[in-house]
Amino acid sequence: MPAAPTASPAGTGARIGIDVGGTFTDFVLALPGDPRGLLHHKEPSTPGDPARAVADGIAAVLGRAGLRAGDLASITHGTTIGLNAIIQRRGARIALVVTEGYRDILEIGRSRMPSSFDLHAAKEEPLVPRDRIVEIPARLGPDGRPVRTPTDAELARVAEELAATGAEAAAVLVLHGHTDPEFEAEVTRRLGALLPELPLTSSAAIWPEVREFERALVTCLNVYIQPLMRQYFDRLEALLDGLGVTAPVYIAASNGGSLSLRSAADRPIETVLSGPAAGVTAATRLGRAAGISRLVTFDMGGTSSDIAVAVDGEPEFATHTTIGGLPLILPVVAVSAIGAGGGSVVRADEHGVLKVGPESAGAAPGPVAYGRGGTRPTVTDCYLHTGVIDPATFLGGRMTLDAPAAARALGEVAEGLGFGSGGTGTGADGAADGALRVATAGMAVELQKTLAGRGLDPAEFTLVPFGGAGPTHAAVLAEEVGIREIVVPPTAATFCALGAVGADLRRDFARSLRRELDATTVGALRDILAGLEARARAWLAGQGPASGTPVLTLAADMSYAGQAYELRVPLPSSPAETLELTALREAFHQEHERLYGFRDAGAAVRLGTARLAISSAGPEIVPAAVPVTGNPAPPVPSGRRDVLLAGRRVSAEVHRREALSPGQTLTGPAVVEQDDTTVLVPAGWTAGVDPLGNLRLTYA
């Protein structure tokens, strides 16, 4: 990989944010000091060579701006390549070296079935099969003292067995390795000296947190996707070099921040949720600017729909999530998948039941209306058939959709449902309307479950939709769950790319203690936090040019003795040396009381994991306020068309978004078109433009 990036000699300071999706790759070009502010672009994704769409899109957006490649100051890139590799199980052939007696660690896991009451449920297949797991006589005790250190002869035997697996890379896990990461690192170094061609990764170097199964798995996941990600980064660099790009390239991270290309190549597991996290970052910035304290993001792209919650300008983080059916213990923005995307396939199953997704048509062949060989209708085809999407103005007229083909495909689905045939009659209407209702119902159930699990009332939240299909589906979903306000940003379809272009540099660090909280433990906590801070500052210094002062955020996982899981308790961000026993106890009691309504002041408190995050502020991307002039006249529609809503055809006004001014309002049913998305305003809703250019929908 290349050396850490250095400052670009660029003269304009232009920055590009990129989000690679299943159907389109999105770009946002930020132009500091330029009255145009932001330029947006969508490029069809190239699944066979994702870097090609990135390079083509950069060239296109630079051409629109009249800039050269050398004018760029930075590129920040979100990607789902690693995530897709995990979901589709197409990563590298890897092995695992684990302490003797723990060969079945991935097979046993947490001994939980995915569905306790489903007699046909199958357990997720282990990422590493048992015949590629090798035992090693190395072990630490819970206190960090060595229990077993392998001899040279034993290491030679392990190396021989490991080589026989034919693995391309391997992870190394020593029991209790988190208590002394250097012990596990030394074992890995000794073993690596015997197998110089085989990349080995120590689990404690990736994430030194307690719980052996999860630590083993996160390390295996990192090793599993690393060759694929490095191959992609190398290809991307070659294409960017061909364009003459010299600016540093950063990769958006799952925690809402970003990291250098070198860091991403070493730790690709930190990027698997980068695209959705970047969108949440952009939404929280919008919320702060627009005065929205409680919001739910709704990202509906080509393949799936995701939601996240933000309160008081801060997104919710999770330290445990699931990807591809496998647990991930790294801190990530808490994004939950809730349903279908615009490319999700609509079909009648063998029992004549209407299904939407989870299979997606992707970018190739895509929806039937794209005319690229697709034969199965999608959610996008449904919106086209209902009249919400105009086939002539899709993507600002850059792409003409084939409405008759979509109608014929929906008619075939209708036959399977018993609605009757007919590509233009009630059969296709019923299939399209039914598919949208099914998709909405599934999303609503998942959204309500997510909010209810946090004790949150949907009526208190504002929905912020983005992605190409988010604004189109937002009002229908909001009605279903009881949300009464929607804020559609001006650049909704490229919102994740907007989040990437302004992302902070950020990385999280952790180290587990697992001790009762007393004066001795507080001393150990101070030492660990000091060590994490030194590592964090060294990491940041190696990330290339960074703006702003580094910000440290401290936290600790704590619990009452006997509790199985800890609460994450924020700690003062002042120097760790100032932490005191009484203050730590009280901080935990307060957090426990806030969440569960009680405290047990007499109970022993346990300290689990110390956490530290370091960040450095990225460029501030603030949309310019749109001047409000007097009392604007009612907006003049550009036309009208029939739209199928709630099972019947109605006449809806059609407005161009750029023609709407702050202060103007319109009432549904209406459709607001812009070059990269369409906003549906059903009957009962009103829509107006605020001073920041956001379209605000309110349910009467």
Side-chain angles (χ1 to χ4, degrees):
M1 296 305 297
T6 57
S8 168
T12 66
R15 302 173 183 272
I16 289 182
I18 306 169
D19 177 54
V20 178
T23 307
F24 290 98
T25 297
D26 300 334
F27 300 81
V28 171
L29 175 63
L31 300 162
D34 190 306
R36 292 174 293 176
L38 300 171
L39 291 181
H40 307 267
H41 178 73
K42 294 181 81 70
E43 186 79 18
S45 294
T46 50
D49 182 8
R52 170 52 61 187
V54 172
D56 290 347
I58 289 174
V61 76
L62 287 175
R64 287 178 54 193
L67 298 178
R68 300 167 303 167
D71 294 326
L72 287 175
S74 70
I75 297 172
T76 305
H77 175 7
T79 176
T80 57
I81 292 176
L83 175 63
N84 292 339
I86 293 170
I87 292 173
Q88 298 169 14
R89 294 294 193 270
R90 55 180 181 85
R93 179 183 175 89
I94 65 171
L96 172 64
V97 179
V98 67
T99 295
E100 284 180 336
Y102 290 85
R103 187 178 183 186
D104 295 309
I105 187 169
L106 298 183
E107 191 77 42
I108 296 173
R110 289 291 163 197
S111 299
R112 297 191 185 112
M113 294 297 291
S115 178
S116 301
F117 302 102
D118 184 355
L119 298 179
H120 302 286
K123 188 171 69 71
E124 195 70 37
E125 286 294 320
L127 195 66
V128 184
R130 196 173 188 272
D131 60 1
R132 293 207 301 269
I133 298 180
V134 179
E135 293 185 327
I136 187 171
R139 178 170 180 163
L140 290 167
D143 57 1
R145 297 177 182 177
V147 174
R148 186 77 165 83
T149 302
T151 65
D152 291 342
E154 289 168 333
L155 281 176
R157 187 263 305 164
V158 172
E160 183 179 348
E161 291 183 16
L162 188 55
T165 66
E168 302 170 57
V172 178
L173 176 83
V174 173
L175 190 66
H176 302 304
H178 64 278
T179 60
D180 184 3
E182 183 52 38
F183 178 88
E184 187 178 88
E186 177 60 23
V187 171
T188 304
R189 281 193 293 268
R190 291 174 60 198
L191 185 59
L194 300 174
L195 298 166
E197 302 300 319
L198 182 67
L200 300 178
T201 301
S202 163
S203 71
I206 296 298
W207 198 248
E209 185 175 351
V210 72
R211 294 192 173 93
E212 311 302 283
F213 166 62
E214 287 80 2
R215 191 172 78 255
L217 190 55
V218 75
T219 310
C220 288
L221 287 170
N222 191 82
V223 173
Y224 187 66
I225 64 174
Q226 194 168 44
L228 181 67
M229 294 294 287
R230 284 184 166 169
Q231 180 182 1
Y232 171 74
F233 292 150
D234 290 342
R235 169 68 171 158
L236 178 63
E237 283 190 306
L239 291 174
L240 295 183
D241 287 344
L243 292 176
V245 172
T246 58
V249 178
Y250 296 93
I251 304 299
S254 305
N255 60 12
S258 64
L259 57 162
S260 71
L261 197 62
R262 173 189 284 178
S263 289
D266 290 340
R267 304 173 64 87
I269 191 61
E270 294 188 3
T271 71
V272 291
L273 298 174
S274 62
V280 178
T281 298
T284 55
R285 289 178 174 172
L286 178 150
R288 289 194 292 266
I292 303 170
S293 61
R294 300 165 77 84
L295 61 87
V296 174
T297 67
F298 173 50
D299 178 7
M300 186 174 180
T303 304
S304 63
S305 296
D306 303 313
I307 62 164
V309 176
V311 177
D312 296 330
E314 293 297 329
E316 185 179 72
F317 285 86
T319 54
H320 292 79
T321 189
T322 301
I323 55 172
L326 302 172
L328 180 70
I329 59 173
L330 295 178
V332 299
V333 173
V335 176
S336 302
I338 65 166
S344 295
V345 172
V346 177
R347 60 186 175 86
D349 69 10
E350 62 273 18
H351 304 294
V353 177
L354 184 60
K355 301 288 187 180
V356 181
E359 186 179 0
S360 173
V368 174
Y370 283 10
R372 296 175 178 167
T375 58
R376 295 180 298 172
T378 66
V379 171
T380 296
D381 293 303
C382 293
Y383 270 119
L384 176 63
H385 182 73
T386 60
V388 174
I389 296 176
D390 186 341
T393 60
F394 191 71
L395 284 184
R398 291 168 50 210
M399 186 175 182
T400 300
L401 302 182
D402 189 344
R408 287 192 296 271
L410 286 166
E412 293 176 4
V413 173
E415 290 185 33
L417 297 171
F419 287 174
S421 61
T424 58
T426 57
D429 284 0
D433 182 65
L436 294 176
R437 289 172 184 258
V438 168
T440 302
M443 293 177 186
V445 168
E446 294 301 320
L447 175 54
Q448 288 170 324
K449 282 167 52 179
T450 298
L451 293 179
R454 294 161 170 79
L456 303 174
D457 181 359
E460 298 176 356
F461 282 78
T462 297
L463 190 68
V464 179
F466 49 92
T472 311
H473 204 80
V476 181
L477 176 62
E479 272 192 55
E480 189 79 11
V481 299
I483 292 177
R484 306 180 71 86
E485 182 182 50
I486 301 169
V487 175
V488 184
T491 57
T494 54
F495 210 53
C496 291
L498 178 63
V501 79
D504 299 344
L505 286 170
R506 176 183 170 120
R507 186 176 158 195
D508 294 272
F509 297 81
R511 174 87 181 273
S512 290
L513 288 82
R514 299 285 284 181
R515 303 180 190 175
E516 183 174 336
L517 185 61
D518 55 25
T520 302
T521 303
V522 172
L525 175 62
R526 292 177 187 145
D527 292 342
I528 286 175
L529 288 173
L532 294 180
E533 180 177 343
R535 288 180 57 203
R537 292 186 180 277
W539 173 83
L540 188 62
Q543 299 306 292
S547 59
T549 303
V551 176
L552 297 173
T553 304
L554 310 182
D557 294 352
M558 303 168 71
S559 67
Y560 289 122
Q563 289 181 319
Y565 289 91
E566 300 91 4
L567 298 181
R568 188 175 182 182
V569 180
L571 302 179
S573 295
S574 53
E577 292 78 7
T578 63
L579 294 176
E580 296 180 352
L581 176 60
T582 302
L584 285 172
R585 285 183 182 275
E586 180 58 24
F588 169 70
H589 290 317
Q590 288 182 3
E591 184 67 6
H592 196 280
E593 190 169 24
R594 182 185 73 83
L595 288 173
Y596 301 115
F598 75 96
R599 64 167 66 196
D600 187 351
V605 175
R606 288 184 59 82
L607 181 62
T609 300
R611 302 185 184 274
L612 182 146
I614 189 168
S615 61
S616 179
E620 189 67 21
I621 308 297
V622 181
V626 181
V628 180
T629 56
N631 295 315
V636 179
S638 60
R640 302 186 71 92
R641 66 172 175 260
D642 286 344
V643 176
L644 179 64
L645 294 177
R648 64 188 184 93
R649 292 275 176 181
V650 298
S651 179
E653 292 183 346
V654 179
H655 294 265
R656 289 297 303 176
R657 183 155 184 179
E658 63 269 19
L660 299 176
S661 301
Q664 288 185 317
T665 60
L666 57 92
T667 58
V671 173
V672 180
E673 296 180 335
Q674 58 191 78
D675 286 351
D676 54 5
T677 191
T678 300
V679 184
L680 174 62
V681 185
W685 289 81
T686 60
V689 182
D690 70 13
L692 294 175
N694 301 306
L695 191 63
R696 292 194 177 225
L697 280 65
T698 306
Y699 188 66

